[in-house]
Amino acid sequence: MTELRNIQRELERFRFRSIAAAAFVLLSFGLLVSRLVVLQVARHDELSTRAEANRIAVLPIVPQRGRILDRNGVVLATNYTAYTLEITPSKVSNLEQTIDQLAQLIDIQPRDRKRFKRQMEESKSFESLPIRTKLTDEEMARFLAQRFHFPGVDIKARLFRSYPLGDTASHLLGYIGRINQAEKTAMEDWDEDRLANYRGTEYIGKLGLEQSYEAELHGRTGYEEVETAASGRAVRRLNSHPPTPGNELHLSIDIKLQHLVEQLYGDRRGALVAIDPRNGEVLAFVSKPTFDPNLFVDGIDFDSWRELNESIDKPLLNRALRGTYPPGSTFKPYMAVAALTTGKRDPHLVIQDNLSYTFGGHTFGSPETDRAGPKDMRLAIITSSNVYFYSLAVEMGVDLIHEQLEPFGFGRRTGIDLEGEVTGVLPSTEWKRRTYKRPEQKKWYPGETVSLGIGQGYNNFTMTQLATAMATLCTGGQRFQPRLVREVEDLVSHDKRIVSSDALPPLPLKPQDVSLVLDAMVGVAQAGTSSRVFAGAPYVSGGKTGTAQAVTMRSGEKYSAARVAEHQRDHSLYIAFAPRDNPRVALALIVENAGWGTAAAAPIARRVLDYVLMGQYPSEEDIALVREGKSVGPPVGTPRRVEDVPLPHTNPVDMPLGLAPAPAASGASAAGAVPAASGATAASRSASRPAANPIPAAPVASGASR
């Protein structure tokens, strides 16, 4: 059977298909043309910029951190360049295996592994983390020969922070360390300009001047534009903007004096602050025990951290800034000034001291070494009469004591240029209402006032506060905020900006009142509790010993150092100024759990005054006696001239041969296009033994004070 074809229908179908195909082709070309117009015309500028960005990488160049120098130009913190072996965890498939293989080429200790793991916990996986620092030339050569076996592992040139004097002045200087996750979270709230200045930076100041002057020391981050291949490899440098190095800090601290005081403390715990009362400059700022800041800057290993953090001696506590102590009898001169200012007691009024004072059925005692007898204000200060000041405290009352002594700086921050200062406690009825929760605790009882007169009870202050108060008193009421930094130097322009402390409004003290108290303090050094220590001094100084309880004694219980643990023994304190006319130095110090103020604290004060006023450095024999608490009189042996004594032993960082400190004025990156980080490393691959020394004891409610 023959099929008949419908030619007309097939032609129509063919025409329809041809038209549809042509329309599809035209539509496709239309879409291509429109897309081409969008890409080449409408979005030309945007896409051209993105293409250029893909071709050009902008790399941050971290600035060199500013140095820190003492008043005589001794370098306390500096930088040097070295090479590190670094791993980017996100680029490594088997991290443990890679580290094991690297250990066959380069010495990687267990502490390096622990530090690396801890840094991984604080960082993101795409960040480059050091597994070994300060590579030697031989180690670098071995790795570079096998580099192709280790994707995600590279050598980088970095700037490292160094503290050449080791643990000397460590609490003052602080240290720098890697930015942890908590700090990164806090940095998200920074403004864009400040945050941009930390791009590429892995380290930041922590504690001490490194933290407080971070903005001055950090500098300005630079950048360089590098043309890259499709693989991301740098082909050539197109443009660069060098970083601006951080500013240098010139301190008021005399590091040789600082080191001497730390020697005199030895293994004992405590703090000393010495101030020039004429301008508020801090001459020595000591907290013992110290620690080696070089251990922290590249990430402290776990064992060293545990040893420092868990030590009963609390070596990481800055006792000069954050340690609060009952002032003991060093509080009595200020009580006397307050009594004279308010007219609460005539200086010639004689009080019969029978070595005990009864109030509200409770008896407050005196040290067994005290002598009974009639005493006026001057003699009460010289002999450190507890009974005289017990009765004075009751007559004045807690709120008047607070009103008169708070302007000296007690119970509030002094404003020293360090972060983290605590306020201490100068009690008042309002303070107790705010501090305690239960109604019976909020009430101030009259019996609590008695111990305030001898610097016990709720009184708790820092040595910075005591030294500042001493500086204010010996100048007749002139006040300054204590300052550690004298000048800030711009290393680009070499301009120096003086960091001065403007004089605060003076206290309205009567000259005759101040003179009476200061003369009594001179009597302490010449005929009183510290007279043996200051015998033969060629200058006239004033001082006051203090012995403060570390733990509360029960009523009627007698104190015996032999029967209590070492950390529960009394603290030894001393405040001093010299010379009597136009004082040049005021100081306050404490030796924790060392007993009588004249036995442990006063000998250290004598050596400090000899250094500042006479330019004398004690003999090695004398230093040993003071360190052991066996000095009972003036310095022994032949003193040396300060200028003849070498600087504290400088233990250079354990850097590979051929590596030198980075130039002070240079802000350039360490190795061309490789950005250098403002990092630091430990001063030694081996962890140094941390100094062992403690935490201040809690305030006591009552007890004897000497």
Side-chain angles (χ1 to χ4, degrees), residues 146 268 273 393 426 477 479 534 568 594 599 647 688-689 706:
Q146 303 292 325
R268 297 176 295 178
V273 177
L426 179 65
R479 297 185 297 168
F534 283 88
Q568 296 180 335
L647 290 171
S688 64
R689 180 184 69 84
R706 279 80 75 187

Side-chain angles (χ1 to χ4, degrees), residues 96-139:
E96 288 296 331
Q97 181 180 351
T98 299
I99 295 177
D100 290 339
Q101 292 174 349
L102 287 171
Q104 298 176 10
L105 297 176
I106 294 174
D107 179 27
I108 298 178
Q109 296 292 325
R111 61 177 174 270
D112 297 319
R113 294 173 182 258
K114 292 179 181 178
R115 183 178 63 229
F116 180 80
K117 290 181 180 179
R118 182 171 58 81
Q119 291 176 355
M120 281 187 60
E121 296 172 355
E122 299 175 350
S123 307
K124 298 177 181 178
S125 61
F126 56 80
E127 293 181 339
S128 178
L129 304 175
I131 185 69
R132 252 298 308 277
T133 58
K134 297 178 295 181
L135 299 177
T136 64
D137 292 341
E138 181 181 350
E139 288 174 328

Side-chain angles (χ1 to χ4, degrees), residues 332-348 377-378 381 404 408 473-474 476-477 508-521 580:
K332 293 173 180 176
Y334 305 100
M335 287 291 297
V337 170
L340 294 172
T341 301
T342 58
K344 282 292 184 178
R345 183 165 288 182
D346 186 281
H348 304 295
M377 182 176 287
R378 182 178 184 279
I381 294 175
Q404 290 296 311
F408 281 94
L473 179 58
C474 73
L509 304 179
K510 299 176 182 177
Q512 63 271 25
D513 296 342
V514 173
S515 181
L516 185 148
V517 174
L518 295 183
D519 286 342
M521 295 180 71
R580 168 61 178 88

Side-chain angles (χ1 to χ4, degrees), residues 327-332 365-370 381-386 390 454-456 529 544-550 553 558-561 569-574 594-598 703-706:
S329 290
T330 62
F331 198 60
K332 293 173 180 176
S366 299
E368 296 178 356
T369 54
D370 278 9
I381 294 175
I382 294 175
T383 62
S384 198
S385 169
N386 279 2
Y390 284 145
I454 63 167
Q456 295 283 174
T529 51
K544 185 70 192 76
T545 55
T547 307
Q549 288 182 347
M553 305 296 291
K558 290 187 177 181
Y559 170 81
S560 174
R569 295 173 185 168
D570 291 348
H571 301 316
S572 175
L573 297 98
Y574 197 77
W596 297 92
T598 189
S705 176
R706 279 80 75 187

Side-chain angles (χ1 to χ4, degrees), residues 406-444:
E406 194 264 349
F408 281 94
F410 294 117
R412 67 182 185 186
R413 295 181 180 89
T414 64
I416 192 171
D417 48 340
L418 282 180
E419 294 185 16
E421 183 182 12
V422 298
T423 59
V425 176
L426 179 65
S428 66
T429 53
E430 174 61 25
W431 166 83
K432 200 175 184 190
R433 280 195 295 267
R434 293 195 318 265
T435 304
Y436 292 94
K437 296 181 179 180
R438 296 202 300 267
E440 65 272 19
Q441 292 177 315
K442 290 176 175 291
K443 182 181 178 181
W444 185 272

Side-chain angles (χ1 to χ4, degrees), residues 319-325 410 412 414 421-424 460-467 588:
R319 286 165 163 79
L321 190 72
R322 299 184 57 80
T324 58
Y325 308 86
F410 294 117
R412 67 182 185 186
T414 64
E421 183 182 12
V422 298
T423 59
N460 261 271
F461 312 122
T462 67
M463 288 305 107
T464 303
Q465 290 172 329
L466 278 172

